[in-house]
Amino acid sequence: MVVPKEIIEDICKNTYGSSLETASCYEIIENHILPIYQEGAWKSKVNQLLGYICYIKDNLSEYEKESNKRNNPDSLSSLKLSLLIKTDDNRYLRPTDVYIPAIYGNPNDLETLLSGIQDVCFVSSEYIENLMQIQDPIEKAEKIREWRDFFIKLGVHPVPKVDVEVRTTSHKSNKKYIYTHEYPIYRSSHILKIFEINDIDKNKKLAKILDSNWNYYKEYKQWYHYIFRGTDVSPCVDWQRTSWAIEADWFTYIKTAAWLPTTKGKLANPSEAFLAEPETLSILEDSVSYLDITLNNRDFIKDLGIKNNITDLKYSAD
């Protein structure tokens, strides 16, 4: 989509009294477009919002380069917190509250996986409607991929999201000094709601997504609660004592609950399930439960406690 020239001309004149040729894309985004969202004026400019998002997408690279030159490393964070994305139900939400649908080339079939969950919204197809007229399938796919990558960079989710809540703990010392420390808490209501639906096919889809994206998810397995000791500002985290580490709700569930589909047609918890390796099959035959899905990420398998071979059975027995 090409942003109408009159929109950009209007932006430049209202902001600088200058023409399109003299205003940089950084100035247009920082001094006009973002304030429209930050100050709530976007509600009166709904017809222009699509053009603003398109302008930011087309100029994001230059915007980031200029941001670095101006020592503004948080420019992308500012976009994530300020911009609003149109959704499939005609609402405007923060990027981190929205998912990428299949029409944008998302292979994870989130529409099916997250169906039945009320607070799920997807990016509107309006952003790529004009691309549907492209006859060359390779060119069309590439243009759509550019939009998908842009939305992901803004924080739109291609997989079931983990919510991050930043909390602050504080302490007043004996000398009346106030110390504070921020720490994140990780939760995922959407992952837990998938399990509540109790659908084997959904569980299979989720297991494959977790396995394929474990490098992302494993960063949100647990968080650390901080307290202060005495008069010193000291985070009380003993890396040798897991009691200080608090597991995220979704991770506790996938480690302990019976949700993994097996070849016996039943759901098993990870500690009861085996990978269907040839050696294990030849020795244990059908005396144990084998996963009915293929998992490839060894870190995921290990973190969940899924048994990989006969040796794992021996250790669990010990």
Side-chain angles (χ1 to χ4, degrees):
M1 176 183 292
V2 178
V3 183
K5 184 176 180 179
E6 58 268 21
I7 291 181
I8 304 305
E9 286 283 9
D10 180 66
I11 290 173
C12 296
K13 290 178 181 178
N14 289 340
T15 308
Y16 312 101
S18 59
S19 68
L20 179 61
E21 288 74 20
T22 60
S24 70
C25 63
Y26 178 87
E27 292 170 327
I28 291 174
I29 293 172
E30 279 288 312
N31 299 331
H32 181 80
I33 295 180
L34 289 184
I36 287 174
Y37 289 96
Q38 294 163 346
E39 297 167 7
W42 65 269
K43 295 179 181 178
S44 64
K45 296 179 177 288
V46 172
N47 293 334
Q48 294 172 286
L49 297 183
L50 192 61
Y52 293 154
I53 296 297
C54 184
Y55 181 83
I56 292 173
K57 170 191 168 290
D58 290 345
N59 294 278
L60 184 60
S61 178
E62 288 300 316
Y63 171 75
E64 290 186 290
K65 288 180 182 178
E66 185 65 24
S67 296
N68 292 331
K69 290 180 182 178
R70 299 184 183 217
N71 294 319
N72 181 18
D74 295 327
S75 60
L76 190 59
S77 297
S78 182
L79 294 181
K80 292 179 179 180
L81 294 174
S82 301
L83 296 179
L84 297 172
I85 303 300
K86 187 174 183 179
T87 67
D88 56 345
D89 58 357
N90 293 316
R91 288 192 289 168
Y92 289 88
L93 301 176
R94 301 296 179 205
T96 53
D97 292 328
V98 186
Y99 284 105
I100 295 178
I103 195 171
Y104 284 86
N106 186 354
N108 294 313
D109 191 17
L110 295 185
E111 289 96 327
T112 299
L113 181 64
L114 299 173
S115 64
I117 301 176
Q118 292 185 352
D119 59 338
V120 169
C121 293
F122 292 91
V123 177
S124 169
S125 62
E126 187 172 337
Y127 296 101
I128 57 172
E129 279 183 354
N130 63 313
L131 301 182
M132 297 299 105
Q133 302 173 9
I134 298 177
Q135 298 300 314
D136 185 344
I138 296 178
E139 181 185 358
K140 180 191 294 187
E142 175 61 21
K143 295 293 185 182
I144 292 175
R145 183 194 61 78
E146 290 176 1
W147 272 102
R148 181 175 72 250
D149 292 348
F150 167 70
F151 283 129
I152 290 176
K153 199 164 188 177
L154 288 184
V156 180
H157 302 280
V159 295
K161 66 175 181 172
V162 175
D163 294 313
V164 180
E165 176 190 350
V166 178
R167 290 188 177 182
T168 301
T169 185
S170 60
H171 171 73
K172 180 184 291 187
S173 71
N174 294 336
K175 296 181 180 181
K176 308 301 182 182
Y177 295 125
I178 303 296
Y179 299 107
T180 61
H181 182 82
E182 291 186 345
Y183 61 96
I185 291 177
Y186 308 133
R187 298 190 178 96
S188 181
S189 62
H190 287 174
I191 289 179
L192 294 182
K193 286 177 181 178
I194 291 171
F195 294 127
E196 289 177 6
I197 297 173
N198 196 30
D199 182 287
I200 292 180
D201 288 336
K202 287 181 183 288
N203 287 7
K204 286 183 178 181
K205 286 180 182 293
L206 180 60
K208 291 178 180 178
I209 289 174
L210 292 172
D211 180 63
S212 299
N213 297 275
W214 194 241
N215 287 341
Y216 160 74
Y217 281 109
K218 68 182 182 182
E219 300 299 322
Y220 302 99
K221 294 188 303 182
Q222 61 186 23
W223 50 275
Y224 291 89
H225 179 65
Y226 287 82
I227 63 174
F228 292 97
R229 286 177 175 162
T231 61
D232 296 325
V233 53
S234 175
C236 190
V237 177
D238 185 346
W239 295 100
Q240 304 302 317
R241 296 175 58 190
T242 57
S243 58
W244 292 112
I246 302 176
E247 287 185 348
D249 56 1
W250 66 272
F251 183 60
T252 296
Y253 190 97
I254 67 171
K255 276 199 345 179
T256 60
W259 70 281
L260 290 172
T262 67
T263 54
K264 293 185 177 181
K266 297 180 180 179
L267 297 176
N269 66 51
S271 64
E272 298 172 339
F274 278 82
L275 297 182
E277 300 289 355
E279 180 186 9
T280 307
L281 286 166
S282 65
I283 296 175
L284 298 180
E285 297 180 336
D286 63 351
S287 64
V288 297
S289 296
Y290 298 99
L291 290 184
D292 192 25
I293 51 175
T294 300
L295 301 179
N296 299 305
N297 192 306
R298 294 297 167 179
D299 286 340
F300 178 59
I301 294 167
K302 181 180 178 180
D303 287 347
L304 262 64
I306 298 169
K307 294 181 176 61
N308 189 30
N309 49 45
I310 301 297
T311 304
D312 291 339
L313 180 61
K314 177 182 182 298
Y315 286 149
S316 64
D318 293 343

